[in-house]
Amino acid sequence: MSSENGHMVIIGGGKASARAAVALRENGHEGAITLITGEAHAPYDRPPLSKAIITEADTPAPTYLTDEALLASTRVWLFTSNPAAEIDRAAKTVLLENGTRVPYAKLLLATGARPRKLPLPGADLPQ
């Protein structure tokens, strides 16, 4: 993998990253595409929480947005269980947690968001 030919690197394991990878191919991007996620699997849909999900006995099964066949057919490299640890903008590389450096011509950060905990005494008490 080199940064020539418009190598696109996408960091994130959610809907935005999966859709971006597929959309790049659908819109004629010919360069390499690499999708990096710290998750152990391909991107999946994370629906909003509801009371039904919380009260159901069974854990809902994830809805995968991509699979290995789709990624292979769109020529997308998938790095799982290996999150990005550092971005070197001057060198145009992403350092993965395992020490691998991935060069890029363009970089998309699609990492989503995490809830922040209220930094007040008692915020961690059970409801």
Side-chain angles (χ1 to χ4, degrees), residues 122-127:
D124 57 344
L125 294 174
Q127 298 292 325

Side-chain angles (χ1 to χ4, degrees), residues 15-112:
K15 185 181 270 187
S17 61
R19 186 64 195 128
V22 173
L24 281 164
R25 287 290 181 238
E26 288 174 346
N27 288 289
H29 181 78
E30 292 296 325
I33 299 173
T34 300
L35 183 61
I36 298 170
T37 177
E39 306 257 2
H41 41 73
Y44 63 95
D45 193 14
R46 294 162 174 87
L49 290 178
S50 71
K51 288 181 183 178
I53 289 175
I54 295 170
T55 60
E56 288 178 2
D58 295 331
T59 303
T63 303
Y64 289 96
L65 301 167
T66 59
D67 58 30
E68 290 184 29
L70 175 61
L71 293 174
S73 72
T74 56
R75 300 179 334 272
V76 174
W77 294 85
L78 177 63
F79 285 89
T80 59
S81 301
N82 199 4
E86 178 182 306
I87 297 169
D88 184 338
R89 292 177 54 204
K92 288 195 162 193
T93 61
V94 175
L95 175 66
L96 303 183
E97 198 171 75
N98 73 355
T100 301
R101 284 203 179 270
V102 180
Y104 66 86
K106 301 245 180 202
L107 178 65
L108 172 63
L109 301 177
T111 56

